Amino acid sequence: MAHQSDLIAQDILAYLKTQEEKSMLRFITCGSVDDGKSTLIGRLLWDSKMVFEDQLAALEADSKRVGTQGENIDYALLLDGLQAEREQGITIDVAYRFFSTDKRKFIVADTPGHEQYTRNMVTGASTAQVAVILIDARKGVLTQTRRHSYLVSLVGIRHVVLAINKMDLVDYSTERFEAIRREYEAFAAGLGFDQIAAIPISALNGDNVLTRSEKTSWHQGPTLMEYLETVQVADAAGQKPFRMRVQWVNRPNLDFRGFCGTIASGMVHPGDEVVVCSSGQTSRIARIVTMDGDLSRAVAGQAVTLTLTDEIDISRGDTLASPEERPYHSDRLEAKVVWLHEEPLLPGRSYLLKAGSSTAPAQVAELKFKVNVNTLQQEAGKTLQLNEVGICSLSLGKPISFDSYRENRGTGNFILIDRLTNATVGAGMIHQPLLQPGSGHWQSLDLDKKSRAELKGQKPRVLWFTGLPGAGKSTIANLVEKKLHSLGRHTYLLDGDNLRQGLSCDLDFSDAGQVEHIRRVAEVARLFLDAGLIVLASVTSPFRSERRTAREILEPGEFVEIFVDTPLPVCEERDTTGLYRKARAGEIRNVAGIDLAYEVPENPEITVNGAQTSAEVLAEQIVRELYG
């Protein structure tokens, strides 16, 4: 099937040798729906004879059955593997294909054109070196063209092919081609591309795909394949300072301790000095170990095990780097974030940030602005919805090592993970670290929580009362505090409604407002706990994620979740403030239990039935359970 079939049959070793020595180019095709992305890749595979005999037979049969191209071959069916893709004639998922020519090997990602699949498009572009942006010659530059161009620039691709397709439908008009080229180049001037190569093609007929078309004799540039075979994409990673994130510390016996990982950039030799970015300790490379024996050098992209001349502390997630050109090491950073999940981004909510093998709790401290990827305009916003892009400030639970994405794609990216579902919800490209006043760490004081608590003769705790509005949280918490006070305990009650009169008076009741409100309550509770007090927090706190975050900022055993389980009808019946009545009438929004989901605690320390038992009895029950 391949062009090297004869060589394979005659000398398989020679064939493998030629394959090994070829350079690899990763590229992506993108564009609006029906611009011909799948057809173009199918044509590339077909013309480069990279279709197996059984695939060919299936393609001919499918083309007749689907019938979108009459009696001709429908090349798009080589890429559209999903049933829904074939039925709708669109690309939904990312499809990767490998093929090669005499000069180069290729991995191409066919990505969706529809806006709702932007996350798939970004995924496909994240590893590409060249983007082929298709434009329908009849329609010209569309909103999706601008959108995809921005996303391509966002992920760091600097070489673009402007493939103006379906030239056969505009009579191979040079005037039409030039008008589209000029319009696109004017739009893309601010996107930072190093090169834009405009090529007139007809993917369906094969014009200027592999072979030069006689119908576009006015085009003096290369064909698409000529461009892909010759474009010089600098091995930028190899030219950058050395970086390797440690994925695993390999210690099979007392005589060997190696640090395994893939080199993200640069190169190292035995004897080179390296630094552990988290601790600042330095050592030198003793050996570069691989399955095939030790190496005299290792370069970007290679997975190796490094041994050092000194026994210094290095763990999974640490970054080894060149001492002369170290990466940033900070717990605050600014980044572009592409949101990939149906649940919106909520500033203040705790996520997990994963950068290579390093994972840290992370909060989006501020959404500075959103980027309208259709117009490239900056827009104000409090959250990011699915497929939206925003510039965010992030605060991490611990420092990580990173570079700016523009300087190093390998160490400048991250993903955000939902802490409850483990779903990947966002992808980020780091701009820079953020400076912060002070040292960025808690100041050590002579008097600590233990000494203050001992003076009061008690164990500090946070009693976190959660439940629907009207469940009886504040009433029960108030009674519990009175009983503890009578027992000589030192307490303070943080009531959610009271805090919204001052500390949280600037927040609304939206999801984002609720998240920030709970974050503030949790931080205040931590300060009071540090003072040695027993803190009672009475807040609806509808989301499990924020309750979990409040628990995690305290030491084990300090957070006691008390779920006041009162059914919604009972809460509505008790409604003395008119909250539920107004929510039912549509006068107010974001009321838990009505139009805002309340996530019931999964494993609270204490659950009380707020509907069947009096608050006095429940308070007594809680105090007895906690203090005997």
Side-chain angles (χ1 to χ4, degrees):
M1 60 86 190
H3 52 283
Q4 298 97 338
S5 295
D6 293 341
L7 186 57
I8 293 174
Q10 296 168 7
D11 189 345
I12 185 64
L13 294 178
Y15 168 75
L16 294 175
K17 182 66 175 176
T18 59
Q19 293 296 308
E20 183 180 333
E21 293 176 349
K22 287 179 186 176
S23 63
M24 170 73 78
L25 181 74
R26 291 175 174 266
F27 69 97
I28 179 179
T29 60
C30 46
S32 189
V33 175
D34 289 335
D35 276 352
K37 301 181 295 299
S38 299
T39 301
L40 174 62
I41 299 177
R43 187 87 210 190
L44 284 170
L45 296 175
W46 177 275
D47 287 355
S48 57
K49 297 181 176 53
M50 292 300 292
V51 182
F52 291 96
E53 294 295 334
D54 59 335
Q55 289 177 318
L56 176 60
L59 179 62
E60 291 175 340
D62 289 344
S63 298
K64 292 178 181 177
R65 178 173 55 81
V66 176
T68 54
Q69 298 298 332
E71 294 299 319
N72 299 321
I73 295 293
D74 185 351
Y75 300 106
L77 296 179
L78 280 171
L79 278 297
D80 292 341
L82 300 177
Q83 184 66 27
E85 291 179 325
R86 295 188 169 201
E87 291 173 353
Q88 299 179 55
I90 64 172
T91 301
I92 296 175
D93 203 354
V94 183
Y96 295 93
R97 290 291 184 273
F98 170 84
F99 67 98
S100 68
T101 66
D102 289 338
K103 298 179 180 177
R104 213 169 208 175
K105 297 180 286 189
F106 302 93
I107 293 178
V108 55
D110 181 29
T111 60
H114 199 279
E115 182 175 343
Q116 75 182 92
Y117 302 117
T118 295
R119 53 184 169 180
N120 296 356
M121 185 264 172
V122 172
T123 302
S126 61
T127 57
Q129 299 158 299
V130 173
V132 179
I133 298 177
L134 280 92
I135 291 182
D136 188 325
R138 300 167 301 171
K139 301 175 182 175
V141 177
L142 301 176
T143 298
Q144 278 294 75
T145 310
R146 298 187 179 91
R147 181 184 186 83
H148 286 174
S149 298
Y150 173 74
L151 293 172
V152 162
S153 71
L154 186 71
V155 298
I157 296 176
R158 295 291 172 260
H159 296 270
V160 167
V161 178
L162 187 66
I164 302 177
N165 191 23
K166 304 186 182 182
M167 289 297 296
D168 54 312
L169 300 182
V170 295
D171 296 328
Y172 300 95
S173 167
T174 182
E175 291 79 12
R176 182 61 180 156
F177 172 81
E178 289 297 331
I180 294 173
R181 182 183 62 79
R182 287 193 297 270
E183 181 182 357
Y184 183 83
E185 289 180 348
F187 157 75
L191 295 181
F193 296 135
D194 293 339
Q195 182 184 43
I196 300 175
I199 302 174
I201 66 170
S202 170
L204 188 62
N205 298 331
D207 292 310
N208 291 329
V209 178
L210 260 71
T211 57
R212 192 170 296 277
S213 172
E214 297 176 354
K215 298 165 186 172
T216 58
S217 56
W218 43 266
H219 174 62
Q220 301 303 310
T223 66
L224 177 60
M225 183 56 77
E226 287 172 349
Y227 177 86
L228 295 174
E229 285 183 327
T230 57
V231 61
Q232 295 299 311
V233 180
D235 185 11
Q239 308 303 318
K240 296 182 183 300
F242 171 69
R243 304 280 189 267
M244 190 185 92
R245 284 171 167 156
V246 176
Q247 295 174 302
W248 178 44
V249 179
N250 183 11
R251 182 144 199 175
N253 55 61
L254 294 177
D255 299 323
F256 185 91
R257 184 165 178 252
F259 307 100
C260 311
T262 299
I263 297 177
S265 62
M267 69 173 66
V268 285
H269 307 79
D272 286 354
E273 189 178 21
V274 293
V275 62
V276 184
C277 299
S278 58
S279 65
Q281 292 181 293
T282 59
S283 183
R284 292 189 181 276
I285 302 291
R287 295 172 56 197
I288 302 173
V289 182
T290 71
M291 288 288 291
D292 299 321
D294 286 10
L295 302 179
S296 59
R297 70 165 191 168
V299 299
Q302 284 186 287
V304 296
T305 297
L306 302 180
T307 65
L308 304 182
T309 56
D310 304 290
E311 287 289 335
I312 57 178
D313 181 23
I314 302 175
S315 304
R316 172 181 164 82
D318 279 335
T319 298
L320 301 178
S322 166
E324 290 79 20
E325 297 176 280
R326 305 185 186 197
Y328 300 117
H329 189 71
S330 175
D331 58 359
R332 286 178 58 81
L333 55 91
E334 181 184 272
K336 278 195 181 82
V337 173
V338 182
W339 200 246
L340 307 175
H341 202 267
E342 287 79 6
E343 291 291 328
L345 177 150
L346 296 178
R349 170 162 288 181
S350 180
Y351 300 96
L352 290 177
L353 181 147
K354 185 171 179 58
S357 53
S358 180
T359 303
Q363 290 180 326
V364 177
E366 179 187 8
L367 173 59
K368 293 189 172 182
F369 58 84
K370 298 195 293 187
V371 178
N372 185 325
V373 296
N374 298 325
T375 64
L376 305 188
Q377 299 296 311
Q378 298 179 5
E379 297 177 348
K382 293 185 177 179
T383 66
L384 287 180
Q385 304 291 336
L386 175 65
N387 295 325
E388 288 189 324
V389 180
I391 309 299
C392 301
S393 300
L394 288 97
S395 176
L396 312 186
K398 65 176 184 179
I400 64 169
S401 303
F402 59 85
D403 294 285
S404 77
Y405 186 80
R406 189 167 187 81
E407 294 298 323
N408 195 327
R409 290 174 72 177
T411 53
N413 59 64
F414 62 84
I415 59 173
L416 291 175
I417 300 170
D418 185 284
R419 304 191 66 168
L420 291 178
T421 65
N422 286 325
T424 299
V425 294
M429 288 130 279
I430 299 173
H431 282 180
Q432 59 192 1
L434 292 174
L435 299 177
Q436 54 189 353
S439 63
H441 303 286
W442 283 87
Q443 186 68 38
S444 179
L445 303 175
D446 291 336
L447 287 178
D448 58 11
K449 177 171 56 181
K450 182 180 178 183
S451 59
R452 299 186 188 104
E454 287 177 349
L455 184 65
K456 297 176 175 65
Q458 63 185 24
K459 179 181 179 181
R461 279 175 167 170
V462 173
L463 311 184
W464 190 278
F465 292 78
T466 180
L468 289 169
K473 302 182 297 296
S474 295
T475 303
I476 298 171
N478 188 51
L479 291 170
V480 170
E481 186 182 28
K482 287 172 63 178
K483 292 180 182 301
L484 292 177
H485 184 75
S486 66
L487 295 173
R489 310 290 183 174
H490 299 261
T491 62
Y492 194 82
L493 173 58
L494 297 173
D495 185 87
D497 291 337
N498 291 346
L499 293 174
R500 281 194 176 272
Q501 306 305 311
L503 180 70
S504 298
C505 65
D506 58 323
L507 302 177
D508 57 23
F509 287 85
S510 65
D511 287 9
Q514 299 266 13
V515 168
E516 175 60 15
H517 176 56
I518 300 306
R519 189 192 69 80
R520 294 182 187 181
V521 174
E523 290 292 344
V524 172
R526 176 162 68 165
L527 291 175
F528 282 5
L529 189 95
D530 196 57
L533 297 174
I534 297 171
V535 186
L536 300 92
S538 173
V539 279
T540 299
S541 51
F543 306 126
R544 290 190 190 117
S545 178
E546 279 56 59
R547 297 196 298 265
R548 178 172 178 172
T549 300
R551 180 188 294 272
E552 290 178 348
I553 65 174
L554 305 179
E555 295 178 10
E558 290 184 338
F559 185 91
V560 180
E561 189 173 30
I562 302 172
F563 176 36
V564 182
D565 186 6
T566 307
L568 179 61
V570 177
C571 295
E572 289 198 66
E573 189 177 333
R574 292 175 178 171
D575 187 11
T576 57
T577 62
L579 183 72
Y580 285 113
R581 178 179 53 75
K582 293 177 183 176
R584 292 291 187 191
E587 298 174 7
I588 58 175
R589 294 181 51 77
N590 300 309
V591 174
I594 304 298
D595 60 345
L596 180 69
Y598 176 79
E599 297 172 357
V600 174
E602 292 179 316
N603 297 295
E605 278 76 8
I606 298 175
T607 298
V608 295
N609 189 325
Q612 299 178 357
T613 312
S614 70
E616 182 69 33
V617 172
L618 293 178
E620 185 65 35
Q621 174 188 332
I622 292 169
V623 172
R624 187 170 57 250
E625 191 161 340
L626 292 175
Y627 297 96

